[in-house]
Amino acid sequence: MMNKAVLLPPLLATGLCLLSPPSYGETDEIEHIEVHGQRHVGQWMGEIQAPTPTPDVADWLKAMPGADVNKNGPVSGIAQYRGLYGDRVSVSVAGRPVVGAGPNAMDAPLSYAPAINTEQLQVFRGVAPVSAGIDTLGGAVSSQAYQADFTMGQDLAINGETRAGYQDNARASDLAGRLHLSSQDHGAVLFVEDLYGRDDQEDGDGRDIQPTEYHKRSGGVDYRYRLAAGYMGGEYQYLDTKDAGTPALPMDIDYIRTHRMALKGGYQTVLGEVTALVGYTDADHVMDNYRLRQNSSPQRYRKTKATSDSVDWRLTLAHELNTETKQTQTLLFGLDGVISNHDATITNPNNAMFLVENFNDVEDRRFGAFVEWQGSRQGWDWLGGARVKYVEADAGDIYHSAAMMNPNIAGLMQDFNQADKSVDDTLADIAFVTGYQLAPRWRGVVGLGIKQRAAAYQERYLWLPMQSTGGLADGKTYVGDINLDPETAWQIDLGLDYLSDDWFISPRVFYQRIDDYIQGTPVTDDAVLNVAAMMGGEEPLQFSNLDAELYGADLSWYGQLSTAWTIGGQATYIRGKRRDIDDNLYRIAPPNMGVYLQYEISQWQMALHWHGYAAQDDVSATNNEKTTAGYAIVGFELNYHWQSGVEVSAGVENLLDHAYQDHLAGYNRVNGSELALAERLPGTGRTVWLQGHYLF
């Protein structure tokens, strides 16, 4: 059950292994390529298929054209696609949306995807289909887990994988295992994973990046029972993250304990295949600013307890239409939704009187219904769909223990508690992607979309100037606006694909105009300004509606130089601008490109890879964003595979021990470290790693 893509894992960690080509008829399997493309009715859907020596699956996104990751800590990576991130990008894990516990995305959605149980990480390139998620304005990422399956015979079949690895930088280890059990009527997948970074990571100058230690454990089971014309089953996952640093944020992870469970099934009816899933998530999260980082003022100790629970569901019917030309077309009908509840309370362990209700009884309810039409005819193929969404949100009253002594805090608290906090939006998404065979080796692709997104709960209900901003990590405090208008994006994606027996080239250009884009703008309320000044922060921002645009291009390519040598690469350029004033959007990935060269003979593989980032000078003045210089990273790896199922890999990342700053890594928020306060966080220095697998 282990795919070949497990070989040369660090190519994914560094983002240098790019899309390899599919065929336009039967799919040609390319041996030992970690990332491959799959034609998906006119668009390319990249798939990443291997675990990597990294504690965060979000790092795999660096391997995809147009994609990247906002790193706030070693296990707190936020997906970015073509300049958009956070709630704008739909992220699903094992077919389900993810609702994190914390208001600052320390448990970002992909942190719930254990590498040992991740079969593929899919990124929909271009305009994402409406079936990919409720909110796909910024694209869609899907972490596909290994699923329980059945065997044809009565005998019990057992197979699986074990993995062990070590990295010298941070003295990090990983131990994991996955077991597949299957018979004619029963199937189960069980997995466990333990990721442990004992020390802080070091940068290329030998400085400790404090705190970047972590300890993350997860385990789970997926079970299925065969029915006459389908299956039924359930799944459960437990995640336990503790003592994990997030130096780009004002606090670190004390612990995150989450239970995710679901009942699911599928059945073949006369109308088509019906699938159903209902899930529940319960998450408990504690963070603080004194256990993993220096804090010399006991009165400034802060501890936040955040909890969330959610119910999600999805019901679909896939109905096939047989046309007169005998080409199958499919109509997909679906209903889905998520109902979540959030609370976050801030205390001081040295002052029992101090209490701030940051979020209280926050409710976020999102309901969707969609239809998609997929088909092909005379050189054309297409995927088009429409979605209707209804979003409701509400919040309870809040409290601050200092309100009796501070009239500004009292005024903000009173205004929020007396406001009508119940809001609702009715929205719609439309997406259409089509491809046409221009010539035997050439294919054109066009994608069009209109997407909408309602504000996240932090953007609405952050009543006091705080940094609970979904992981923005710009060092600024924000307040929300209950009555934010929904965002509306107008999207176009144009592409051309060339495919021969040995070469594949796939460029894309895109443009996205977003009306009522939600971003922080300078606060004018005197009470908010006075509270922010009292707290010693920079001038606060308020989430507001404005107008923006993003445009750019990305490219993936692959070549088979000989039976032993392959080469590939990717390039990405993204520009994000405000349309209302002369300013840039915040935290946009710099132009970058990567190239890898791989040699394979018998049971040996070797690869050399290079990834370069240009300087990023197009930064947001509103967010006081700092520029970054360009840099390039080189890596090398070696792999040997025995016929017995044993694989051993070794490699070096950042081979030249280059000191650099990742533009998406945020700023240092930690006092007393070797890094200056507000300094752009550096990337990790040279890392030597060793990893072994046993497949049975």
Side-chain angles (χ1 to χ4, degrees), residues 289-291 293-302 671:
N289 68 350
Y290 53 85
R291 294 177 66 255
R293 63 180 67 188
Q294 179 178 314
N295 188 338
S296 59
S297 174
Q299 289 305 309
R300 291 186 176 272
Y301 277 27
R302 295 294 182 266
N671 281 305

Side-chain angles (χ1 to χ4, degrees), residues 339-393:
I339 298 176
S340 60
N341 302 284
H342 304 268
D343 295 278
T345 302
I346 306 171
T347 59
N348 181 345
N350 300 311
N351 183 357
M353 301 297 293
F354 183 84
L355 176 67
V356 180
E357 288 183 330
N358 198 17
F359 297 100
N360 181 46
D361 281 340
V362 172
E363 300 176 0
D364 192 326
R365 300 180 289 270
R366 297 176 185 248
F367 309 90
F370 64 88
V371 60
E372 271 187 347
W373 177 33
Q374 175 179 336
S376 60
R377 181 182 178 89
Q378 296 179 345
W380 291 91
D381 55 55
W382 63 85
L383 175 64
R387 171 186 283 273
V388 178
K389 301 181 283 189
Y390 180 67
V391 180
E392 293 180 322

Side-chain angles (χ1 to χ4, degrees), residues 173-457:
S173 64
D174 66 283
L175 295 170
R178 188 182 67 256
L179 181 67
H180 297 250
L181 305 172
S182 58
S183 67
Q184 181 171 302
D185 296 320
H186 301 272
V189 175
L190 299 89
F191 70 90
V192 293
E193 184 174 74
D194 184 277
L195 308 172
Y196 195 2
R198 294 165 178 79
D199 295 334
D200 294 319
Q201 297 171 346
E202 288 188 2
D203 72 355
D205 289 328
R207 300 180 300 172
D208 286 342
I209 309 171
Q210 297 176 329
T212 46
E213 59 193 88
Y214 59 87
H215 194 186
K216 180 178 177 181
R217 296 178 295 183
S218 63
V221 59
D222 177 69
Y223 169 77
R224 293 191 181 192
Y225 174 72
R226 185 194 295 273
L227 302 175
Y231 72 93
M232 63 181 296
E235 62 184 42
Y236 170 78
Q237 178 192 0
Y238 176 66
L239 176 74
D240 182 5
T241 302
K242 59 183 180 181
D243 294 336
T246 52
L249 299 175
M251 293 185 180
D252 302 305
I253 298 170
D254 187 342
Y255 66 79
I256 303 171
R257 296 173 185 148
T258 304
H259 303 268
R260 283 169 49 90
M261 59 201 76
L263 297 175
K264 57 187 178 180
Y267 202 81
Q268 190 68 38
T269 71
V270 293
L271 294 177
E273 183 182 8
V274 175
T275 63
L277 180 147
V278 59
Y280 174 74
T281 300
D282 181 78
D284 189 3
H285 179 18
V286 171
M287 65 199 92
D288 64 65
N289 68 350
Y290 53 85
R291 294 177 66 255
L292 300 183
R293 63 180 67 188
Q294 179 178 314
N295 188 338
S296 59
S297 174
Q299 289 305 309
R300 291 186 176 272
Y301 277 27
R302 295 294 182 266
K303 182 175 185 178
T304 298
K305 181 176 177 60
T307 61
S308 75
D309 60 81
S310 63
V311 176
D312 61 275
W313 65 90
R314 183 178 174 93
L315 176 66
T316 64
L317 168 64
H319 177 65
E320 291 190 355
L321 301 173
N322 293 315
T323 66
E324 294 180 359
T325 59
K326 297 183 180 180
Q327 293 188 6
T328 300
Q329 299 180 22
T330 302
L331 288 175
L332 180 66
F333 303 91
L335 298 171
D336 53 9
V338 182
I339 298 176
S340 60
N341 302 284
H342 304 268
D343 295 278
T345 302
I346 306 171
T347 59
N348 181 345
N350 300 311
N351 183 357
M353 301 297 293
F354 183 84
L355 176 67
V356 180
E357 288 183 330
N358 198 17
F359 297 100
N360 181 46
D361 281 340
V362 172
E363 300 176 0
D364 192 326
R365 300 180 289 270
R366 297 176 185 248
F367 309 90
F370 64 88
V371 60
E372 271 187 347
W373 177 33
Q374 175 179 336
S376 60
R377 181 182 178 89
Q378 296 179 345
W380 291 91
D381 55 55
W382 63 85
L383 175 64
R387 171 186 283 273
V388 178
K389 301 181 283 189
Y390 180 67
V391 180
E392 293 180 322
D394 202 353
D397 291 347
I398 44 75
Y399 171 79
H400 196 304
S401 58
M404 293 183 63
M405 299 174 290
N406 189 310
N408 290 306
I409 293 177
L412 294 177
M413 187 176 75
Q414 180 177 330
D415 290 345
F416 186 86
N417 288 341
Q418 292 180 351
D420 182 2
K421 296 178 280 294
S422 177
V423 294
D424 61 86
D425 293 297
T426 301
L427 311 174
D429 290 349
I430 300 173
F432 183 78
V433 182
T434 184
Y436 181 68
Q437 198 73 35
L438 301 170
R441 298 186 184 276
W442 294 92
R443 187 176 189 82
V445 177
V446 177
L448 302 171
I450 304 173
K451 301 288 185 70
Q452 292 188 295
R453 181 190 76 100
Y457 76 89

